[in-house]
Amino acid sequence: EFSLSGLEPGTHQGFVRIVGGDPLPCDDVRYFTVDVEPPSKVLLLGEKADDTLFLREALAPTVAAGAAKSDFACDVRLYSDLGNIRLADYAAVFLVNPPPLPNAAWDSLVSFAEAGGGVGISLGRNARAQEMSAGEAQRLLPAKLRWQSHEATYLRPVAIEHPALRELAGTADSAPWSEFPVYKYWELEPGSEPAQVVAAFANGKPAIVERQLGPGRVVMITTSISDYASQDAWSMLPTGPDPWPFIALANGIARYLAGATQTQLNYLAGQTVVLPLAPNE
């Protein structure tokens, strides 16, 4: 195993050679190709810019600017700007603590997902069950909102085979989820389209749900990830002590929404490489 850093965007090729020599020289060289892509553009939407602070810092931390390149380039905009934003410029869109939106906004998000984009949603105090459980909102959301539950619990992913949880591989049993309590969350009921529970709370209620929308995908978290640590916080996921599980979870969901987990790009020498090509390629 070896690592490379400091490569500019583009395709880079090289080889690994055994220099000691052996009686069978024909397999002493292995060639490799590295494709370096620019950071995925992610649009973070909130009623105010502060709503996206914790998610933005998890995906593209400002303290690391210049020290290490992030996998994501985050743009922060307000819901009121949504009609003026070209969603096709982004790999994923994340709605942080969204309120009921105009029909035109839901339509644009549905079109974005149907074109292959990823939409993430973190519910919170701004959501309204009646408005978001019917009409255009249900063309996008994976489930209907039943009511706000005040039953304290915490996130407890059990099966982490889902690509959105891949960043938690090897840490599912050791992650101290109980140190990041959830005080409020939205209970759900089935929508008109099938949805999958990606992860549950310790009490068994859905914490993260997903639905496919054409070639795109929609992932919804049923509690807030935008609240500061206070007596009225919905959850302590991003604000508990050393919240590395939230950082891993946020990055895993963002990679999944941006399509980074869609194609296998890492292969062992000798394996058959399969790359899907678009019709115009």
Side-chain angles (χ1 to χ4, degrees):
E1 295 184 1
F2 63 94
S3 61
L4 298 171
S5 61
L7 299 178
E8 295 299 319
T11 302
H12 305 265
Q13 295 178 311
F15 60 86
V16 179
R17 182 193 302 275
I18 296 176
V19 296
D22 63 26
L24 188 65
C26 65
D27 64 353
D28 288 357
V29 179
R30 291 294 191 186
Y31 298 90
F32 65 86
T33 299
V34 178
D35 188 20
V36 181
E37 296 184 349
S40 298
K41 292 188 66 177
V42 179
L43 175 64
L44 308 182
L45 292 169
E47 279 211 316
K48 53 185 186 298
D50 281 354
D51 288 346
T52 65
L53 173 65
F54 299 124
L55 182 59
R56 185 179 76 244
E57 287 298 312
L59 299 181
T62 54
V63 293
K69 293 183 179 179
S70 171
D71 289 345
F72 304 100
C74 296
D75 285 348
V76 176
R77 302 286 292 273
L78 305 182
Y79 289 114
S80 56
D81 299 331
L82 188 52
N84 302 318
I85 301 173
R86 177 182 157 85
L87 298 183
D89 292 340
Y90 299 91
V93 176
F94 214 105
L95 315 181
V96 181
N97 194 9
L101 299 174
N103 286 343
W106 293 120
D107 287 342
S108 64
L109 292 165
V110 168
S111 298
F112 172 71
E114 288 179 337
V119 179
I121 304 155
S122 170
L123 298 176
R125 67 188 76 246
N126 291 336
R128 296 293 180 266
Q130 184 174 356
E131 293 92 328
M132 297 172 72
S133 297
E136 295 303 302
Q138 279 300 299
R139 293 181 57 208
L140 181 77
L141 301 184
K144 295 180 179 180
L145 282 58
R146 181 177 293 174
W147 57 63
Q148 293 180 18
S149 175
H150 293 209
E151 179 186 0
T153 183
Y154 57 90
L155 186 65
R156 190 171 65 182
V158 177
I160 58 170
E161 291 82 7
H162 193 282
L165 305 180
R166 191 168 294 168
E167 297 290 319
L168 298 170
T171 65
D173 296 330
S174 60
W177 292 109
S178 60
E179 296 180 12
F180 308 96
V182 173
Y183 303 113
K184 300 178 187 177
Y185 60 92
W186 281 95
E187 287 206 30
L188 306 176
E189 59 185 40
S192 58
E193 299 295 331
Q196 172 190 1
V197 177
V198 175
F201 293 119
N203 61 9
K205 300 295 184 180
I208 305 173
V209 294
E210 175 204 15
R211 67 168 290 201
Q212 298 292 320
L213 194 57
R217 58 204 55 179
V218 181
V219 174
M220 185 167 71
I221 305 171
T222 60
T223 191
S224 174
I225 58 170
S226 62
D227 291 347
Y228 288 80
S230 68
Q231 291 182 341
D232 194 35
W234 275 48
S235 85
M236 300 287 286
L237 278 169
T239 57
D242 191 18
W244 64 263
F246 168 73
I247 295 173
L249 181 67
N251 278 267
I253 292 176
R255 287 193 179 94
Y256 179 63
L257 293 175
T261 60
Q262 212 166 1
T263 302
Q264 181 182 354
L265 294 177
N266 297 321
Y267 291 85
L268 296 177
Q271 283 184 310
T272 300
V273 179
V274 179
L275 294 177
L277 297 179
N280 62 339
E281 293 182 294

